[in-house]
Amino acid sequence: MSSDASSARVRVWDLPTRLVHWALAVLVLVAWLTGGERMDIHRYAGYGILGLVVFRLYWGVAGGSTARFSEFVKGPGTVLAYVRGWRAAPSSFGHNPLGALSVLLLVILLISQIGLGLFAVDVDGLESGPLARFITFETGRKAADLHELNFRLLQAAIVLHLVAIAAYALFKRRNLVGPMVTGRDATAGLEGELRPAPLWRLALGVVIAVLVVVLIARAG
Amino acid sequence: MSTPSLTHLMTGRARLGLTGMAAALLVAGCGQQAGETETAAAETPPIVQERQEGYKALGSSFKLINDQLKSGAPDMAQIAPAADRMNALAQQIPNWFPAGSGPQDGVETDALETVWTNPEGFSAAQQRLVETTAELQQLAAAGDAAALEAHVKVVGASCGGCHDDFRVEQ
């Protein structure tokens, strides 16, 4: 990469958005590998994911401009037009209209996954989510079955996410991974500007996320 | 001493709170799963239904004990009868798997054929649950919360150990 190109790299993702993204990737993997095996670790991974998702929802209304739902979620007409002209579509600054749907899908599946996990009970009645004591064994077993089923959907959505990243690299020569790591995008012709959020908003978000996790973990 | 009936043992399940019922309706409303259960129940032989109910009562009682222990202020007046139910149910297990009630007989069940092909192994696993739940009863009667917390893991392992060899993998 020439020095000219690197000087044209513009800031796209703020640090909290990137940290949440990669922490989610790691913790979902940990939760997957420990589910049904090491329930102590699985529980902490779940609490971590809960905190990250709460923070991400908050950051979606209070964070840097490219993290905000109102900035990237578009109506069906815009999405359809984007899909039709996909090969020729100019590079989006931040999420593109189709990627926005992927973000929403992943967030919704993560929320349902956490919600079901909080109530899930194992087949023996030994291990259970922190809120399972408010429901019966059989209802908790159903929550566990749905927790398993919803995880398959989450896996499918993650595969779709990875396939989309590969498709952008292959057909549009667009590197989407690099900017999610460094925060900067070197793609030519990007139009837009990241308006970062002030530090106090980040601090408030962390406090809210930690509070929610502690309250739910203690309820059990 | 007469053997307590299964219905009597399952009274713990009657403690179905409002929250539980609302959540049950919510989950049942999710379609496919509830539908499957209904069809299965219609074709399931009575003895298979009985053992399914028996295991649910076991899990339900064990959950009650674990919920109590996790609460920080365990109520021995609830734990002790739940431990009694678990032990009595564990003793009934040999009656729940008569010939002709396995997957090899075309019955829709999560029990593996090994229950019938390895009766000694299954009996040993069942005996282990009888012993671990008997100790659970003693600790509950003694009101020893710390020892109970350690022992539920042993009971859980005797559930899991048997499930590994004799039940469809979860």
Side-chain angles (χ1 to χ4, degrees):
Chain A
M1 190 185 290
S2 74
S3 58
D4 272 335
S6 60
S7 65
R9 293 180 355 142
V10 289
R11 278 193 76 195
V12 178
W13 308 112
D14 59 21
L15 185 63
T17 305
R18 284 178 281 144
L19 278 179
V20 165
H21 173 271
W22 292 113
L24 275 175
V26 170
L27 287 184
V28 168
L29 188 66
V30 169
W32 177 20
L33 297 176
T34 56
E37 303 288 333
R38 288 294 305 273
M39 294 310 283
D40 47 342
I41 301 174
H42 188 77
R43 192 173 289 114
Y44 285 117
Y47 289 154
I49 294 167
L50 170 65
L52 289 168
V53 169
V54 168
F55 179 86
R56 187 60 188 88
L57 289 175
Y58 163 86
W59 209 237
V61 293
S65 53
T66 49
R68 293 197 182 202
F69 298 118
S70 63
E71 298 265 344
F72 67 77
V73 178
K74 301 291 197 298
T78 314
V79 175
L80 215 62
Y82 177 81
V83 172
R84 287 203 176 118
W86 187 71
R87 288 302 292 265
S91 298
S92 304
F93 182 83
H95 295 295
N96 67 60
L98 191 59
L101 294 184
S102 171
V103 174
L104 292 185
L105 179 67
L106 286 165
V107 167
I108 289 167
L109 288 174
L110 282 170
I111 292 171
S112 31
Q113 189 63 6
I114 297 161
L116 291 164
L118 292 175
F119 291 95
V121 178
D122 77 342
V123 69
D124 311 328
L126 176 65
E127 301 283 358
S128 59
L131 302 184
R133 70 186 177 94
F134 299 111
I135 61 173
T136 61
F137 174 70
E138 284 179 67
T139 308
R141 289 299 301 141
K142 284 188 177 127
D145 288 345
L146 293 173
H147 189 61
E148 175 94 31
L149 178 71
N150 190 74
F151 185 64
R152 302 293 159 222
L153 300 179
L154 182 59
Q155 278 181 315
I158 292 169
V159 167
L160 188 67
H161 176 60
L162 298 176
V163 166
I165 290 165
Y168 275 85
L170 214 61
F171 299 111
K172 290 176 77 82
R173 300 279 155 211
R174 181 94 193 263
N175 174 7
L176 295 175
V177 180
M180 190 47 79
V181 175
T182 64
R184 292 176 182 275
D185 197 334
T187 309
L190 275 187
E191 281 181 30
E193 184 196 4
L194 167 65
R195 298 183 304 282
L199 202 61
W200 69 265
R201 288 232 190 99
L202 169 63
L204 180 61
V206 172
V207 170
I208 292 172
V210 169
L211 266 181
V212 170
V213 172
V214 169
L215 284 177
I216 288 182
R218 286 217 172 158
Chain B
M1 199 175 98
S2 68
T3 319
S5 78
L6 195 56
T7 356
H8 171 72
L9 291 168
M10 282 187 273
T11 44
R13 289 177 61 231
R15 262 190 289 273
L16 220 161
L18 255 185
T19 334
M21 279 197 275
L25 282 173
L26 207 73
V27 174
C30 292
Q32 195 205 353
Q33 299 257 334
E36 276 179 359
T37 319
E38 266 168 44
T39 344
E43 299 159 359
T44 310
I47 185 63
V48 177
Q49 284 182 48
E50 189 186 328
R51 77 180 175 226
Q52 286 174 353
E53 291 305 312
Y55 278 114
K56 281 176 194 169
L58 258 173
S60 187
S61 302
F62 198 36
K63 177 180 180 291
L64 184 153
I65 293 171
N66 286 305
D67 286 350
Q68 282 296 328
L69 292 173
K70 273 184 253 177
S71 74
D75 179 5
M76 294 300 159
Q78 289 202 51
I79 292 179
D84 295 344
R85 283 199 297 276
M86 287 188 75
N87 184 259
L89 285 160
Q91 295 184 44
Q92 295 209 8
I93 290 175
N95 308 325
W96 294 344
F97 297 88
S101 68
Q104 67 277 15
D105 311 300
V107 175
E108 200 185 324
T109 171
D110 284 339
L112 292 179
E113 197 181 346
T114 47
V115 171
W116 292 269
T117 56
N118 179 14
E120 295 84 10
F122 185 65
S123 179
Q126 177 258 339
Q127 203 48 46
R128 191 165 167 232
L129 185 65
V130 172
E131 286 160 14
T132 56
T133 51
E135 192 174 340
L136 195 65
Q137 286 178 289
Q138 288 165 15
L139 295 173
D144 189 342
L148 275 170
E149 271 183 52
H151 189 65
V152 287
K153 293 189 178 67
V154 179
V155 178
S158 59
C159 302
C162 186
H163 285 160
D164 286 344
D165 297 336
F166 300 101
R167 187 186 196 281
V168 170
E169 203 181 332
Q170 280 289 294

